[in-house]
Amino acid sequence: MTTLTEQSLPADSPDGINPSRARPAVRALYTRPALTAGDLSAPLLVLPDGHPGAGSLPGAVQLSDVRRTVARWSALGIGGVKAFALGHNRDSTGSAAVSAGNLMVRAVSAIKVATPDLAVTTEVCGCSWTSNGECVLRTRAGGIDLGATYRLMGEMAIQHAEAGADVVSPTAMLDGSVRAVRAALDDRGLRDVGVNPNLAIHTTLYGPFKTLMATDPAAGHRRGLQLEQGRAQRDTVVQARRWIAEGADSLTLQPAMTAVDVLARLRADQEAPLVAYSTSGEWPALRELGSEGMTEYIGMLRRAGADHVLTFVAEQVAAHLERNCG
């Protein structure tokens, strides 16, 4: 008896016999877009006008270029932007982080004027604003001042939300920080603003961002506030559950390139939306792949479990999708 797989087909038959590679009309029944521009957010690294670092990374722009940049991204269909601001007037308490009209506030306002429908996430962390580059505030004895750090993060979250941010992202992996930020927003009546904390694994792939934004801590590293690579699969799941219990609405895992296994493990454990952050150190490698290779990489992150991808190649990938899938 001849089986289906044994039936002879013309050598040059393009359609095959498996449903996943059958005739075009049948393949179309099962095919869905692997990736769309709306699945992407772009990091926006806001620098003061005249700063020489503009253009050193995609999305590194002077304040006066913010509106033009986000309008271009929105026209490509990119779904969101995560804003970071170069800190100024730094001191030991990060006071400029909550000063009226600081660079982050002006950037968020500019984004919302130019692109009201673009989802805006902001970094809520002390590292850009403390004189020692620390994510947290310290006591005189050198320990973490939890109360002061929580208050700073809560005040930053309120300020960003009132400027127009849709989501705030506590960056320092400090137990209690998500709860404190959520409580601060709720007490201010900002219950519709999301909280998206980071699940940050220690890596060298944050380097270009830290150099440009001057966020290298004086202590040399911040491993006490990051997950270790060797335990990342287990510890990320544990931390994610803590963040959700504290009130997180979604989660960001970083870096993406060296943590795809962690992303898949996290997806199996969590129903909450997951953002994969392809960090600044990944940009030089992705640039060498070209737009098609970049798009395949980002598509892989989506298949691995990311609901959304934050990446420095968002514009290139969105343009590629427009050219080839529009």
Side-chain angles (χ1 to χ4, degrees):
M1 178 177 177
T2 302
T3 67
L4 181 63
T5 56
E6 292 170 337
Q7 293 175 1
S8 61
L9 290 171
D12 61 350
S13 173
D15 294 324
I17 54 176
N18 185 290
S20 65
R21 48 187 168 83
R23 293 178 177 179
V26 177
R27 291 198 304 271
L29 296 178
Y30 309 119
T31 301
R32 298 292 181 273
L35 183 68
T36 69
D39 297 325
L40 307 172
S41 280
L44 185 73
L45 281 51
V46 183
L47 308 169
D49 287 341
H51 193 281
S56 57
L57 282 169
V61 300
Q62 298 177 23
L63 180 62
S64 57
D65 289 328
V66 164
R67 293 188 188 185
R68 184 182 310 112
T69 301
V70 296
R72 186 174 69 247
W73 291 346
S74 181
L76 285 169
I78 290 173
V81 58
K82 185 168 184 178
F84 304 85
L86 183 69
H88 47 83
N89 301 329
R90 301 184 183 205
D91 58 27
S92 62
T93 63
S95 61
V98 291
S99 63
N102 65 39
L103 193 60
M104 179 67 90
V105 170
R106 286 180 285 163
V108 172
S109 298
I111 297 167
K112 281 301 185 181
V113 167
T115 53
D117 296 330
L118 196 66
V120 178
T121 302
T122 60
E123 182 190 50
V124 174
C125 189
C127 60
S128 289
W129 305 95
T130 52
S131 49
N132 58 9
E134 295 277 4
C135 297
V136 298
L137 302 184
R138 297 282 180 180
T139 66
R140 290 184 178 180
I144 296 176
D145 189 332
L146 289 174
T149 301
Y150 292 159
R151 285 191 295 275
L152 177 65
M153 295 176 75
E155 290 173 13
M156 290 177 71
I158 290 170
Q159 186 189 59
H160 297 177
E162 291 183 339
D166 303 291
V167 179
V168 295
S169 182
T171 302
M173 292 188 60
L174 188 64
D175 282 356
S177 59
V178 172
R179 183 181 298 111
V181 167
R182 180 74 269 165
L185 291 169
D186 290 351
D187 289 347
R188 196 62 164 249
L190 297 164
R191 296 180 180 274
D192 59 346
V193 175
V195 178
N196 174 287
N198 279 9
L199 296 162
I201 300 169
H202 182 72
T203 180
T204 61
L205 294 177
Y206 306 136
F209 173 94
K210 291 196 297 183
T211 299
L212 176 62
M213 305 301 279
T215 60
D216 257 329
H221 62 76
R222 48 179 60 95
R223 295 183 76 157
L225 298 172
Q226 294 175 339
L227 301 171
E228 292 292 337
Q229 294 179 11
R231 292 181 51 90
Q233 275 207 4
R234 291 171 292 174
D235 288 353
T236 302
V237 170
V238 170
Q239 192 65 55
R241 292 175 181 177
R242 288 177 179 169
W243 287 156
I244 295 298
E246 288 193 20
D249 302 290
S250 55
L251 303 161
T252 289
L253 175 68
Q254 62 184 59
M257 182 175 284
T258 55
V260 178
D261 59 324
V262 180
L263 174 61
R265 175 75 177 272
L266 193 59
R267 176 77 290 160
D269 184 77
Q270 284 293 327
E271 294 294 331
L274 300 179
V275 179
Y277 183 7
S278 177
T279 56
S280 61
E282 300 178 33
W283 157 245
L286 295 179
R287 180 176 53 197
E288 296 301 313
L289 294 178
S291 61
E292 186 169 359
M294 293 174 185
T295 303
E296 291 179 5
Y297 169 67
I298 302 302
M300 178 270 295
L301 296 178
R302 289 278 285 118
R303 293 195 307 273
D307 295 289
H308 200 76
V309 180
L310 173 65
T311 174
F312 286 86
V313 300
E315 182 171 352
Q316 292 91 329
V317 170
H320 177 82
L321 292 172
E322 183 177 62
R323 289 192 302 269
N324 294 277
C325 305

